[in-house]
Amino acid sequence: MLLTDTPIEIPLIVTAVNAGRTAQARLASMGILPGEKLMVLRNDINGPLVLEVKGTRVAIGRGLCQKVMVSPGNEESKE
Amino acid sequence: MGKEITIAFAGNPNSGKTTIFNRITGAHQHVGNYPGVTVDIKEGKRNIDGLPVKFIDLPGTYSLTALSEEELVSRNFIVESKPDVVIDVLDASTLERQLYLAVQLIELGVPLVLAFNMTDVAEKAGFKFDIPLLSDLLGIPIVQTTATSGKGLAELLQTALSVARQKIEHEPKPLVYGKELDTEIDRIVTRLSSTEVNPYIDLPLKWSAIKLLENDSEVVSDFMNTGGDVGELFDAVEGSRQRLARIYSDPADMLIAEARYGIISGAASEAVTRTVEERHNFSDRLDKVLINPFVGMPIFLVLMYLVFWLTFTIGDPLMGWLETGFAWLGGTVNGWFGEGSESPIRSLLVDGIIGGVGGVIVFLPNIMLLFISIAVLEDTGYMARAAFIMDRLMHKIGLHGKSFIPMLIGFGCSVPAIMGTRILENKRDRLVTILIIPLMSCGARLPIYALIIPAFFPSHLQGPMLWTIYVIGIILAVVLAKLLRTTIFKGESSPFVMELPPYRTPTIQGLLIHAWDRGRMYLKKAGTIILAISILLWWATAYPKLQIYSDDYDSQLETLRIDYETELMDVNLELGLPDGFDNIKIALDKWIEDDRSELTTTNSLLADRFLETVIEIDEIRIGFDRAVDEQGLIENTPDFITVKYVFESRLTELEESKPDYFPIAENYLDNILSPYLAQSSEIEFKIYEENLNYSIMGRFGRFLEPVFRPMGYDWKLVTATLGALAAKEVFVAQLGIVFSVGEADSASSSLRQKLMDNYSPLIGFCIMLFSLISAPCVATLVVTRSETRSWGWALFQFFGLTVLAWILTTLVYQVGTFFGIGV
């Protein structure tokens, strides 16, 4: 499902990032790339989302978030 | 003395990199000069163990791709300047993300030391680091530091120097990207080792191989630019990519990014443990409020108001002191030359250099205060939140959330605002913001509105009129931003990806270094290009000199002086002083010359009493004017009448206590001194006006009149507009000169009268509209040029806005004239 459609504060795993190369690399440098865990902390009606990734908080524009696919990541998959 | 050692600092933004750099280099740092780079690279020098060491503060980056300027600048610096050692500063509490950069530095094969910063904070948050194990796993020395207290910095330096002197062997463990990737990387390495074509002979072949596989634009073009035959090599890379595509769905660059994180989490799972998972810490709780869509915005606006208030309310008195200082300097230099000296050197020094540069340097306190405020917002971590909040709005006009802050500052002054766009990382966002900032009506334009509005508009329309002007500026800025975004700066707006760093307490040293950096840059500009332009403008207003005036002003002035002195003699007689006693005249002349501050004694009790009374009356009157001015009182309002009553009763009191001197003193002030000063300054301004007419600026004004005609301007307005190029507020003074009403300020009622007699309210509005939109002042031009590092953008802004102003003002004037509105 789309990152923008997920409930907040549940663990998620990125399955795909369908953005352009620049945006993809930008997200990767923040730790957002397939296989990585993250959590949505804030998702208001409009404006950027706030994610928790690798212990940091990152704000990502809504448009870009719509290009990130995620699936629910269960707690056990946390090492 | 050995060879100079270069140590470069790399690291993520907010990792404490700059704090460590500041701690180590102290005040001995400057912005390095790297041509073609709009990102600052700071340098600092220090002797360690008698050896000179150069420190470089690379821009904070998360990665080393060729996709952003900062990253490319950092990478190119490492590739080209080959520092002896790179210290990668990492925030230990977000280690995994931070190591992503470290892995790329290892790939570059550069001698590396990792500084685990803020380990104390990380340990409090429940992290446990096995530093020796991690260091061993990566093959890189690791030093734990606390930047804010300076702990661990000595050890960090020693380790870095040992690595630089090759006392510690630099032997990173080979990075394992996974079977398939490693196979393909090895294939490209083999191909590279058998070819002559390699622009990066000093770097590991593996790095080139990875970059080629990633399809890194810079590396690919460097290979092409070697001129060698790269066809086979590129075919091999393409083959590798296709083989990988058969196995994986992600492109090669993503696979490599994933592999890097794989390497990191492998090492971290062995050497880092987290005992307690702490949720909802201080930053979390603060963010619940600060980035809340409902509460966050009002808090942001209050904080912005504080920045504004600090910059201009605290800055203005300091600015006043500097102004006084420059006035004093001008006066002193003036004094070196004889009375009424016509020396061109005097004029150049006083009017050109001191006036011109002084007019620019007076902004220094505002600029320093603004940058201290910005530094506080940045160093506490709030700036990222502000950008987050504003992004909803700014996104709609194609700008970044952070653009809002410099735009707001533009209402005070465009110069610090344009310098403030440095907080924007994206070049396009930055350029658009710079270009539209002058439309935020700056403080220097306020005197123009303050002069014009009361002259042409009834009092109930004055407030709405001022509001209209400001709103027109904002609307134009929004429209222009959108327009620029869809034309010149077309393309996807940079994605909003921004870390919200944990909140921190800023260090005083960091704040001061930040503010001083900007201040110093500004001073440097004032001393060079602005100086040159000031001299040019002065020259254009002062030359060529008129030889013969239309009237014999000298003898007129002389007659006035003789009349004045005769009348003073009458005062002498009235006081009962001996005939020919001229000590009063001497004392009064000195008093007027010293701006009515010091009074010398006259050796006569009678004369002294009289002079005291003159001064006391004068002081009460000045006090009244000042009170009206400071409280912004409008004539005939109840407040005005109250204040007037207070000062009038003081005068009455004085009259009662000095019945003998008061009438004579009052008569002298009102009927002798004031007319004399008014008439002589009127003549002086006539001289000035004739000179101005004759000067290049005046001729240019007349020459340009036809161009400005369609928007209702005559040559006087054109000349005043040209003069305002130096600084917008000069417009009022220039207008005063061309209308020869003597010294004019925005509250000048005689100038307002002249304007009302000469122009219609429509023209009044056109003057304001043109002043709002047209060419920003020279200081803005120069700052735009230095911030964009291009005269092209500066001139584009300068002329683009002027043309826009001309079109809009002409439109308003023509439509207004046609429909008979305000004519």
Side-chain angles (χ1 to χ4, degrees):
Chain A
M1 62 185 141
L2 289 180
L3 182 58
T4 43
D5 299 336
T6 58
I8 60 166
E9 294 189 8
I10 66 153
L12 302 165
I13 287 181
V14 180
T15 51
V17 178
N18 303 317
R21 267 194 87 207
T22 315
Q24 244 178 15
R26 207 57 215 276
L27 289 176
S29 69
M30 308 299 293
I32 302 166
L33 66 170
E36 295 295 333
K37 293 188 286 275
L38 54 79
M39 199 188 272
V40 179
L41 293 184
R42 186 153 215 128
N43 184 356
D44 303 317
I45 309 138
N46 55 19
L49 276 72
V50 179
L51 313 175
E52 189 180 271
V53 195
K54 294 189 175 292
T56 62
R57 238 158 302 153
V58 186
I60 311 278
R62 184 159 294 266
L64 191 51
C65 284
Q66 279 161 350
K67 294 170 180 162
V68 178
M69 306 296 291
V70 290
S71 65
N74 40 16
E75 284 296 316
E76 291 88 79
S77 70
K78 251 185 178 174
E79 56 231 77
Chain B
M1 231 175 76
K3 174 186 158 291
E4 186 181 68
I5 288 172
T6 307
I7 299 179
F9 286 96
N12 285 191
N14 304 302
S15 61
K17 172 179 64 73
T18 301
T19 313
I20 291 187
F21 175 78
N22 286 343
R23 278 233 162 233
I24 288 177
T25 58
H28 312 283
Q29 48 173 271
H30 64 277
V31 174
N33 187 20
Y34 299 91
V37 175
T38 52
V39 183
D40 281 347
I41 297 183
K42 281 215 263 171
E43 289 181 3
K45 275 186 186 162
R46 221 183 98 179
N47 279 343
I48 294 166
D49 305 339
L51 279 174
V53 181
K54 186 158 104 176
F55 296 91
I56 310 287
D57 189 19
L58 295 173
T61 60
Y62 295 105
S63 177
L64 285 181
T65 59
L67 298 172
S68 91
E69 191 171 8
E70 284 83 359
E71 297 185 10
L72 200 55
V73 162
S74 296
R75 189 170 97 188
N76 286 347
F77 180 86
I78 294 169
V79 170
E80 284 155 23
S81 304
K82 297 183 191 64
D84 296 286
V85 59
V86 173
I87 296 177
D88 182 7
V89 181
L90 306 102
D91 175 353
S93 44
T94 58
L95 192 62
E96 291 198 28
R97 215 271 318 281
Q98 308 257 340
L99 277 170
Y100 188 64
L101 178 69
V103 169
Q104 295 178 65
L105 288 166
I106 295 172
E107 285 170 359
L108 267 173
V110 60
L112 190 65
V113 175
L114 301 183
F116 272 32
N117 197 27
M118 297 180 269
T119 34
D120 49 342
V121 180
E123 274 161 8
K124 260 187 219 145
F127 286 102
K128 281 227 162 4
F129 304 102
D130 188 340
I131 299 286
L133 177 63
L134 193 59
S135 172
D136 205 43
L137 286 169
L138 297 169
I140 305 284
I142 299 174
V143 181
Q144 285 182 291
T145 57
T146 306
T148 42
S149 70
K151 212 179 114 205
L153 294 190
E155 193 196 339
L156 179 66
L157 272 181
Q158 281 314 317
T159 311
L161 287 176
S162 307
V163 171
R165 292 177 192 138
Q166 280 137 17
K167 278 186 187 155
I168 297 179
E169 220 153 309
H170 171 67
E171 216 173 354
K173 297 279 154 57
L175 299 170
V176 180
Y177 297 82
K179 195 168 148 255
E180 283 82 11
L181 267 177
D182 281 335
T183 313
E184 300 306 333
I185 291 170
D186 284 344
R187 278 191 201 191
I188 303 173
V189 166
T190 317
R191 179 72 62 173
L192 276 170
S193 57
S194 62
T195 171
E196 303 275 291
V197 188
N198 185 356
Y200 306 108
I201 32 167
D202 294 331
L203 296 180
L205 290 177
K206 198 171 166 181
W207 181 78
S208 300
I210 291 170
K211 287 291 144 189
L212 286 170
L213 201 53
E214 279 184 327
N215 203 9
D216 183 285
S217 56
E218 182 90 351
V219 170
V220 169
S221 76
D222 276 353
F223 266 91
M224 306 231 266
N225 290 342
T226 53
D229 182 17
V230 289
E232 257 178 66
L233 176 67
F234 282 13
D235 284 347
V237 175
E238 192 48 45
S240 291
R241 269 199 219 116
Q242 275 166 13
R243 273 189 294 280
L244 289 168
R246 262 178 247 135
I247 313 170
Y248 304 100
S249 57
D250 291 326
D253 51 342
M254 287 307 281
L255 291 177
I256 292 167
E258 286 165 33
R260 285 185 190 127
Y261 277 111
I263 294 164
I264 294 164
S265 64
S269 65
E270 282 189 57
V272 185
T273 46
R274 190 156 195 194
T275 47
V276 279
E277 185 98 8
E278 186 209 19
R279 305 225 24 102
H280 301 295
N281 57 22
F282 174 67
S283 286
D284 279 315
R285 283 196 297 271
L286 208 51
D287 267 346
K288 282 258 183 289
V289 180
L290 291 182
I291 58 173
N292 181 294
F294 303 105
V295 196
M297 184 64 98
I299 293 175
F300 168 72
L301 291 177
V302 167
L303 284 172
M304 283 302 111
Y305 178 77
L306 274 178
V307 169
F308 213 62
W309 176 82
L310 188 74
T311 306
F312 295 102
T313 314
I314 306 277
D316 279 350
L318 298 172
M319 195 171 172
W321 293 348
L322 279 178
E323 269 170 355
T324 316
F326 277 104
W328 173 84
L329 187 65
T332 310
V333 174
N334 221 350
W336 295 346
F337 299 87
E339 180 89 14
S341 163
E342 287 301 317
S343 160
I345 296 172
R346 182 205 67 82
S347 175
L348 171 67
L349 281 175
V350 178
D351 305 327
I353 298 177
I354 298 175
V357 175
V360 173
I361 289 180
V362 291
F363 289 117
L364 190 66
N366 297 107
I367 287 182
M368 302 270 278
L369 282 166
L370 174 71
F371 277 100
I372 290 180
S373 315
I374 289 187
V376 171
L377 293 181
E378 272 193 333
D379 294 359
T380 50
Y382 182 76
M383 194 62 97
R385 275 78 181 178
F388 175 85
I389 290 167
M390 282 316 292
D391 198 63
R392 289 161 218 263
L393 277 175
M394 302 304 284
H395 192 77
K396 293 202 173 79
I397 59 168
L399 284 176
H400 194 278
K402 280 191 197 172
S403 297
F404 187 77
I405 293 150
M407 279 168 72
L408 193 76
I409 293 177
F411 285 118
C413 176
S414 299
V415 171
I418 288 171
M419 289 168 86
T421 59
R422 283 165 177 255
I423 57 173
L424 293 163
E425 295 110 23
N426 180 282
K427 205 174 162 183
R428 275 189 300 190
D429 286 337
R430 210 178 149 207
L431 269 173
V432 174
T433 313
I434 288 177
L435 292 176
I436 62 165
I437 275 176
L439 288 169
M440 306 286 119
S441 185
C442 70
R445 274 171 260 195
L446 195 57
I448 304 178
Y449 312 146
L451 170 76
I452 304 279
I453 291 178
F456 294 109
F457 300 98
S459 59
H460 70 279
L461 281 181
Q462 292 179 357
M465 193 45 78
L466 188 64
W467 182 85
T468 307
I469 290 288
Y470 274 81
V471 170
I472 289 173
I474 297 167
I475 293 172
L476 279 175
V478 168
V479 171
L480 214 62
K482 191 88 189 152
L483 199 73
L484 286 169
R485 261 299 190 204
T486 45
T487 54
I488 306 174
F489 301 99
K490 208 172 165 173
E492 208 182 330
S493 68
S494 72
F496 189 84
V497 176
M498 200 171 49
E499 190 181 357
L500 301 179
Y503 290 99
R504 284 188 197 123
T505 318
T507 64
I508 301 286
Q509 191 197 23
L511 296 182
L512 292 180
I513 286 179
H514 207 93
W516 174 232
D517 264 357
R518 296 287 170 268
R520 194 171 46 178
M521 268 170 42
Y522 185 72
L523 279 181
K524 206 169 137 193
K525 242 161 273 155
T528 51
I529 186 96
I530 291 176
L531 176 67
I533 292 173
S534 302
I535 292 174
L536 190 75
L537 279 177
W538 161 81
W539 173 78
T541 7
Y543 285 90
K545 285 269 178 247
L546 189 61
Q547 299 305 326
I548 303 149
Y549 294 95
S550 68
D551 222 337
D552 190 357
Y553 294 123
D554 281 349
S555 70
Q556 285 180 12
L557 279 173
E558 188 57 30
T559 316
L560 267 180
R561 178 83 200 163
I562 291 166
D563 286 352
Y564 168 70
E565 280 170 13
T566 319
E567 283 176 282
L568 252 186
M569 285 304 136
D570 293 346
V571 171
N572 267 356
L573 288 178
E574 241 181 296
L575 285 167
L577 288 160
D579 205 15
F581 178 87
D582 62 356
N583 283 3
I584 288 186
K585 182 174 85 71
I586 294 166
L588 281 170
D589 281 350
K590 183 113 180 56
W591 177 64
I592 292 162
E593 200 184 303
D594 289 349
D595 287 329
R596 309 190 176 195
S597 53
E598 294 281 319
L599 181 73
T600 45
T601 51
T602 56
N603 297 325
S604 155
L605 198 62
L606 268 177
D608 280 353
R609 282 281 155 78
F610 162 73
L611 288 170
E612 272 164 33
T613 317
V614 166
I615 289 172
E616 279 170 62
I617 297 173
D618 194 53
E619 273 170 357
I620 293 173
R621 286 176 176 176
I622 289 173
F624 172 69
D625 289 344
R626 195 173 293 153
V628 168
D629 209 39
E630 277 170 7
Q631 298 172 38
L633 296 176
I634 297 158
E635 232 164 300
N636 297 328
T637 55
D639 282 350
F640 181 86
I641 292 165
T642 316
V643 172
K644 197 173 175 188
Y645 177 76
V646 171
F647 282 95
E648 268 173 2
S649 55
R650 271 190 219 168
L651 279 178
T652 321
E653 221 173 275
L654 185 66
E655 187 173 8
E656 277 160 10
S657 68
K658 292 181 176 167
D660 297 340
Y661 301 100
F662 191 89
I664 307 173
E666 198 179 34
N667 177 52
Y668 163 74
L669 277 171
D670 291 345
N671 302 325
I672 303 174
L673 182 66
S674 299
Y676 164 66
L677 289 179
Q679 284 166 22
S680 56
S681 73
E682 199 172 309
I683 293 173
E684 267 159 23
F685 274 95
K686 272 188 190 151
I687 297 174
Y688 201 105
E689 190 196 2
E690 281 199 26
N691 269 323
L692 187 70
N693 272 345
Y694 193 72
S695 74
I696 292 175
M697 195 71 102
R699 292 178 201 197
F700 206 51
R702 283 181 190 279
F703 173 75
L704 283 178
E705 194 186 350
V707 180
F708 285 82
R709 197 70 248 178
M711 44 182 249
Y713 272 39
D714 60 8
W715 79 270
K716 291 187 174 181
L717 290 177
V718 177
T719 309
T721 304
L722 289 176
L725 286 178
K728 288 271 176 184
E729 62 265 49
V730 175
F731 182 84
V732 174
Q734 288 273 19
L735 215 52
I737 291 165
V738 291
F739 276 111
S740 15
V741 291
E743 213 149 314
D745 58 40
S746 53
S748 166
S749 49
S750 52
L751 180 55
R752 274 198 199 128
Q753 194 56 48
K754 293 250 183 187
L755 288 173
M756 281 161 79
D757 297 345
N758 280 278
Y759 306 113
S760 63
L762 179 64
I763 294 181
F765 181 78
C766 287
I767 294 173
M768 292 193 288
L769 191 65
F770 191 79
S771 306
L772 167 72
I773 312 166
S774 70
C777 65
V778 165
T780 306
L781 174 81
V782 170
V783 168
T784 300
R785 132 78 213 152
S786 67
E787 291 299 306
T788 57
R789 311 222 175 171
S790 135
W791 274 113
W793 288 121
L795 294 172
F796 174 73
Q797 179 188 51
F798 194 80
F799 290 109
L801 287 174
T802 308
V803 169
L804 179 71
W806 186 87
I807 293 171
L808 290 176
T809 314
T810 301
L811 205 67
V812 167
Y813 182 71
Q814 296 300 336
V815 170
T817 312
F818 186 78
F819 289 105
I821 307 165
V823 286

